Amino acid sequence: MPSPQTETPGLELQSPKEAEESQTPAQGSRQTSSRKEPNAHCKDGTRLGLGTLRQAFSRASQRALTQVSKEDTGLFRRSSCSLFRSFRQTLDEGPAAGHFQATPEVPSGVMNGISQQASTGAASEELKPEAEGKSVADLITERQLLAAFEQLLRLETRLVAEKASRTFEQDPTAFARRAMDVCLHYDGLAAELSAIVRETLGSDGVDAAVLAELARVVNAEEEAHPSPPDDGDFLRTPRHWRQHWEEAVRRSAQERVRRPGAGGASAAAEGASGLAQLLAELGVLVRRDLQKVRQEVQPAYAAAGFPAWEVYLRAFHSAVAQRLQELARDARGCEQLYVLLDWAANVYGSPDFLGPPGLALPAEPLPPLLAPDVWARLESDYTSFLEAKITSCFDNILQLEQSHWAAAKDPEVLQGLYQAPLSMDVHMLVAEHVKAAGAISAELEATTLRICTRALGLFVPRFEKAFLASEAVSEPHLGAYINACEELRTSILSRFPATQEELEKPLLAATCSFQKHLLQGLQRELQPLFRVVCTRDWLTQDWLRPLMGKVVRFTGHLQRVAQPRAQETLQEVHRFVVREYLAQALKPRKRFWAMERMRGSQKMSLDAQAISDTFQGLGSEATWLDQAIQCVAEILGETYKDDIQRHLETLIRSYPDIRRDHILAILALRRLGCRRNQHLLQHTQDLLRAEAGVVGAEAPRGRVLFEEIKVPSAMAVRITCI
C-alpha cells in the first residue's frame, strides 16, 4: 500500500485532481523501485515524494519551456536542475536538512508557464495579493516588482514557518512542490530584472519608474536577507540581487559593444578602412549609451542610492577592452595596428569621451583599456611593420626621382630656387609618421623617429650613388639636390634635434658630393682655356672673355641654389680661376725678355683686375684672392729690383700657405741674377719661418691657394734661376 499522504494547507500549485494524478504514477514508480532496489527506504515516503516532485517539475518545465528561447531554456534548465539536486538532498537527508540556493537567472517567459500551472490548484490562491487579486507571475509580468517580491517574501516566510513546525513531516513532497514554486517565482523575478537592464539602453528604453522599482526591489531583498540564516534553510539563503543586477549590466554592455561589425566580414579582411569604420561606430554607440546613462538611467536609480553611473561606466570599459583585445588578435599590417592604437589612445582616451568635463569619475581609477603587455605587443608589432613600410616608402621615392631623370626635364623653379620633390617627400614621410606616433605615446614617437632616421641615413648615400651614375647629372639637377639636402638638414634637424648625430654626416656628405660634381663640370670646361697664360699668344689674345663668360653662365645656375651653398660654390669657382691662372704662370717655359716681360706684367695686372671685378660683380666674398695675381704681376714688371722684396713680403703675409718652391718659381719668372736670387730666397725663408710660427703650419680654413699649386722641384727652379 502506498504511504498515507497528509493534506497540507498553504502554498500548493496543483489542483486536487492534478495532485491525485501526480500521486498515482508515483506509487507505481515506488513499487517498481522497490522491486529493483531491495534496500531502498520504502517506509519513510521519500521515494514517493521524489517521484511526485519529478513529475510535477517535468510538467511545469514542459509548459514553460514552450514559451522561451533556446538560450533562456538552457538557463531555466540549469536553474531547475540546481533546485532538483537540492530537493533530492533535502528529501534524502530529512525534512530539516535541505539547503540550496536558487540560481536567479530564468527568462521572463518562464513566468507564463509557471502562472498557468499555479492557477490550476485551489491552493494557488495564496500566490495572489489580497487587494488586487493578481498572481505573483502577473505582478512580475506587469513589472509590479516590489509587490511581487513582498508577496513572495510573505509566502517564503510562511513556508519556512510551516516547515519548522513539522507540518510536512508526513509529506515532504508537498513541501518540495511549494518550495519549488516559490524559488521559480524568485527566478522569474530575477529574470525580469535582467530583462529590464537589457532593455534599458535599447531603442525604446525603460520607464524611469520601472528602474526605480528595480532599485527598490534589490534594496528590499538585501534587507530581507542581510546574511545567511543560522538554520541553513535553503529558502532563506540570500540571492545577492545587487550582484545579479551588476552582472546584468555587464552582459548588457558586452552585447552592446559587439553590435558594430556583428555579422559582417572581419576587420582584418576589410583592411584598415573597415576597422576604422567599425571603431567609429563603436565609439558613437558607447558615447550615446553612456550619455543615456548619465541623463536618464542614473537619475532614476539615484533615489534608491544605486551607483548606476559607476557600474555602467566600468561595465562598458571592460566590454570595450575585451572587444579591442579581440580586434587586436586579428589586426594585420601597420595601418590596422595604428588604427587600434590611435583609437585607444586618442578617441577612447580623450578627456570628454566618457563624459563632459567636470563629471565625477569613480573613486577607484579605471584600469588601462589595454593591459600593458597587450599594449606593448601592439606597439612592437606596429614598429616592426613600420620599419618595412618606411624602407618601402624610400624605395618609392627613389623610383619617382628616377622617373624624373628619365624624362630629361629640368627641375622646377620655386621662389627663385631649383626645387626637387625629394625634400618634400622625405620631410612629409618622416614628419607625418613621427607626429602620428607622438599622438599615441612618447615612447612610440621616439621609436618611430629612430626608425625614420636610420632609414633616411641609409637612403641618402644610395640616392646619391644612383643619381651620379645616371645620365641626368646636370647643373640644374645638381643644384636642385643641393637645395634638397639643405632643406632636409634645416627642417628635420631643427625639428628633431635628436637626429643630428645620425643624419648630419650623410646629408652633409651628399651636399658636398653634389657641389663637387657641380664644380667639376665647370672645371672641365675652363681647364683648356688656361693653357695660353704666359705665352706669346697670351700677350696678343683676349683669352679671358670666353673664360669669364662661362663663369657668368655658370653662376646663373648658382643663383637658383640656396645659401650658403651658392656662396660657397661661387668662392670655389673664384679660387679655382685664380689658382689655375697662377699654376699656368709658374710653369717653366721660355722666359720673357725685356719688353715682353713688361707687356706680360701689364697683361697679368689687367687680367687680375678683370677677374677681381667680375667675381665681385657676381657676389663673391673671397676678396682675399685679389692680391695673388696682382703681386706676381708687380714682381714680374718691377723696375726697381730692391722693391721686389717688398712684393714678396706682401705675398707671404697674404697667403701663409705659400712655400719656398713657389718663391723660386716666381723669381725664375722674373729672371734675376744668382746673387740677388740668393739674397731674396734667404730673406723670404726667414719670413716663411716667422709666418709659420704665427699662424701655424697650415693656412687658415678656407684660405688655401698656393698649397694646391704644384711647381717643379726646387732643384730644377734653382738651376733655372742660375
Side-chain angles (χ1 to χ4, degrees):
M1 293 293 293
S3 300
Q5 181 172 343
T6 305
E7 186 70 18
T8 304
L11 179 61
E12 183 67 52
L13 292 184
Q14 295 176 317
S15 65
K17 182 178 180 181
E18 287 179 333
E20 290 180 5
E21 292 175 356
S22 65
Q23 291 177 15
T24 303
Q27 295 174 9
S29 174
R30 185 185 56 152
Q31 293 171 358
T32 303
S33 175
S34 298
R35 287 193 299 268
K36 292 182 179 180
E37 301 179 17
N39 296 329
H41 300 281
C42 301
K43 295 181 180 181
D44 60 358
T46 302
R47 293 296 177 185
L48 172 63
L50 183 58
T52 304
L53 172 61
R54 285 175 176 170
Q55 292 192 11
F57 176 71
S58 175
R59 285 196 300 270
S61 299
Q62 290 175 0
R63 295 175 185 175
L65 292 177
T66 59
Q67 303 178 31
V68 296
S69 64
K70 292 182 178 180
E71 180 181 359
D72 291 343
T73 299
L75 192 59
F76 177 82
R77 287 175 177 171
R78 289 194 298 270
S79 177
S80 300
C81 289
S82 175
L83 286 172
F84 182 78
R85 287 192 299 269
S86 299
F87 289 146
R88 179 159 188 167
Q89 180 182 1
T90 300
L91 295 174
D92 288 342
E93 295 178 0
H99 176 79
F100 79 100
Q101 179 171 347
T103 304
E105 185 61 36
V106 177
S108 58
V110 172
M111 296 313 303
N112 295 331
I114 295 175
S115 61
Q116 290 176 5
Q117 182 175 354
S119 62
T120 59
S124 64
E125 293 178 357
E126 296 191 18
L127 286 175
K128 299 180 181 180
E130 293 81 352
E132 300 181 2
K134 294 182 180 179
S135 66
V136 174
D138 290 338
L139 291 173
I140 295 174
T141 302
E142 296 174 4
R143 292 188 169 173
Q144 298 183 34
L145 306 180
L146 188 58
F149 174 75
E150 292 172 348
Q151 180 71 1
L152 280 173
L153 188 60
R154 288 194 296 271
L155 295 173
E156 176 188 358
T157 303
R158 179 177 176 181
L159 185 58
V160 169
E162 291 178 355
K163 177 177 179 291
S165 64
R166 298 181 177 272
T167 303
F168 303 101
E169 188 173 13
Q170 299 301 320
D171 188 8
T173 59
F175 170 76
R177 287 194 303 272
R178 292 174 61 185
M180 178 180 289
D181 185 72
V182 171
C183 291
L184 288 178
H185 278 79
Y186 269 126
D187 288 351
L189 183 58
E192 194 64 27
L193 301 184
S194 298
I196 292 172
V197 173
R198 187 169 56 252
E199 297 170 9
T200 298
L201 298 178
S203 56
D204 296 333
V206 176
D207 189 80
V210 176
L211 299 179
E213 182 92 347
L214 184 155
R216 287 193 292 270
V217 168
V218 173
N219 287 336
E221 192 272 340
E222 290 178 340
E223 294 175 359
H225 304 103
S227 60
D230 296 334
D231 58 4
D233 195 291
F234 65 88
L235 281 175
R236 301 299 298 272
T237 301
R239 286 159 180 83
H240 304 292
W241 281 359
R242 184 179 291 270
Q243 289 87 337
H244 175 78
W245 170 75
E246 293 177 354
E247 179 60 30
V249 171
R250 286 191 288 269
R251 287 197 305 270
S252 174
Q254 290 173 356
E255 293 172 1
R256 300 285 296 176
V257 301
R258 297 194 66 83
R259 289 187 179 184
S266 66
E270 294 183 359
S273 59
L275 179 59
Q277 178 64 27
L278 185 151
L279 291 174
E281 294 174 0
L282 176 62
V284 171
L285 183 142
V286 173
R287 284 175 182 266
R288 184 174 61 242
D289 284 355
L290 290 179
Q291 182 180 14
K292 186 173 184 178
V293 171
R294 291 195 307 271
Q295 297 177 353
E296 301 177 16
V297 179
Q298 168 65 14
Y301 282 112
F306 256 48
W309 167 245
E310 180 173 349
V311 172
Y312 270 96
L313 181 61
R314 292 188 178 279
F316 271 98
H317 184 78
S318 175
V320 170
Q322 181 179 351
R323 182 65 171 138
L324 277 189
Q325 292 188 18
E326 294 172 358
L327 295 173
R329 285 194 294 268
D330 297 332
R332 298 292 181 270
C334 180
E335 288 78 11
Q336 286 194 356
L337 289 168
Y338 181 80
V339 167
L340 275 174
L341 291 169
D342 178 65
W343 192 90
N346 299 318
V347 179
Y348 187 87
S350 62
D352 61 341
F353 184 86
L354 298 177
L359 181 69
L361 294 177
E364 183 180 352
L366 295 173
L369 185 61
L370 292 174
D373 59 327
V374 176
W375 184 270
R377 180 180 62 81
L378 288 177
E379 284 195 347
S380 176
D381 293 346
Y382 170 74
T383 53
S384 298
F385 283 112
L386 179 65
E387 193 165 4
K389 179 186 175 184
I390 294 296
T391 301
S392 177
C393 288
F394 278 118
D395 291 340
N396 294 336
I397 291 175
L398 178 57
Q399 293 175 4
L400 182 61
E401 292 297 320
Q402 288 173 333
S403 67
H404 294 160
W405 306 339
K409 293 182 179 180
D410 288 343
E412 296 181 356
V413 177
L414 182 63
Q415 296 181 348
L417 299 177
Y418 287 127
Q419 185 70 36
L422 172 70
S423 59
M424 184 176 296
D425 293 342
V426 171
H427 179 80
M428 290 181 62
L429 175 65
V430 175
E432 288 183 1
H433 280 87
V434 172
K435 180 180 178 182
I440 294 176
S441 69
E443 293 79 6
L444 188 60
E445 179 183 21
T447 302
T448 302
L449 181 58
R450 287 194 297 270
I451 291 174
C452 293
T453 302
R454 184 166 56 250
L456 179 56
L458 296 174
F459 168 77
V460 170
R462 188 159 61 97
F463 173 82
E464 173 195 340
K465 182 179 179 180
F467 171 66
L468 296 178
S470 70
E471 299 179 356
V473 178
S474 63
E475 288 91 348
H477 279 103
L478 286 167
Y481 290 134
I482 291 173
N483 291 342
C485 291
E486 282 301 295
E487 289 174 6
L488 288 175
R489 289 180 68 245
T490 302
S491 60
I492 293 183
L493 297 185
S494 61
R495 183 171 181 178
F496 308 112
T499 64
Q500 177 87 24
E501 182 177 353
E502 195 164 355
L503 288 184
E504 176 73 17
K505 185 176 180 179
L507 286 174
L508 184 59
T511 302
C512 294
S513 177
F514 293 142
Q515 279 184 293
K516 178 181 177 180
H517 281 79
L518 186 62
L519 284 168
Q520 286 176 344
L522 177 65
Q523 290 170 358
R524 284 191 295 268
E525 292 186 47
L526 299 182
Q527 193 77 47
L529 300 178
F530 287 102
R531 294 173 184 170
V532 71
V533 175
C534 289
T535 64
R536 287 184 172 83
D537 293 336
W538 166 67
L539 295 174
T540 58
Q541 292 179 2
D542 187 9
W543 73 281
L544 192 58
R545 185 182 298 275
L547 185 144
M548 298 310 295
K550 292 180 180 295
V551 171
V552 171
R553 183 194 62 81
F554 177 81
T555 56
H557 295 295
L558 291 183
Q559 292 175 358
R560 295 190 172 97
V561 175
Q563 299 294 350
R565 298 305 173 185
Q567 180 61 222
E568 291 177 0
T569 307
L570 179 60
Q571 291 186 27
E572 279 299 306
V573 175
H574 191 175
R575 192 171 69 90
F576 169 79
V577 170
V578 174
R579 185 188 68 212
E580 289 302 310
Y581 191 103
L582 291 174
Q584 291 295 326
L586 298 182
K587 284 183 178 180
R589 53 170 53 90
K590 187 177 180 179
R591 293 174 295 169
F592 296 126
W593 294 93
M595 295 302 297
E596 286 182 347
R597 181 169 50 80
M598 296 301 297
R599 289 173 57 193
S601 174
Q602 294 174 1
K603 177 69 172 177
M604 190 178 293
S605 181
L606 291 174
D607 288 347
Q609 189 63 44
I611 292 172
S612 176
D613 292 345
T614 301
F615 278 103
Q616 185 177 358
L618 295 174
S620 173
E621 298 175 359
T623 56
W624 62 275
L625 293 167
D626 295 341
Q627 288 185 323
I629 300 176
Q630 189 64 43
C631 284
V632 175
E634 291 174 351
I635 292 172
L636 182 62
E638 182 59 60
T639 57
Y640 298 100
K641 295 181 181 180
D642 292 340
D643 290 341
I644 293 177
Q645 180 175 318
R646 179 172 53 82
H647 297 310
L648 287 174
E649 292 175 356
T650 302
L651 196 62
I652 292 172
R653 291 191 179 97
S654 300
Y655 304 98
D657 64 328
I658 195 170
R659 296 294 178 261
R660 182 171 180 274
D661 292 345
H662 301 116
I663 301 297
L664 288 173
I666 294 172
L667 292 177
L669 183 65
R670 175 64 177 81
R671 192 191 175 194
L672 296 171
C674 180
R675 182 175 297 179
R676 188 172 294 276
N677 283 342
Q678 291 296 335
H679 174 72
L680 292 174
L681 283 174
Q682 184 61 42
H683 181 70
T684 55
Q685 191 69 29
D686 295 338
L687 288 175
L688 289 173
R689 281 195 292 267
E691 287 296 322
V694 173
V695 300
E698 297 182 358
R701 184 178 181 182
R703 296 291 183 95
V704 176
L705 179 61
F706 283 93
E707 184 179 333
E708 297 178 352
I709 298 176
K710 294 182 180 180
V711 294
S713 65
M715 183 60 68
V717 173
R718 183 186 299 273
I719 293 172
T720 302
C721 293
I722 296 172

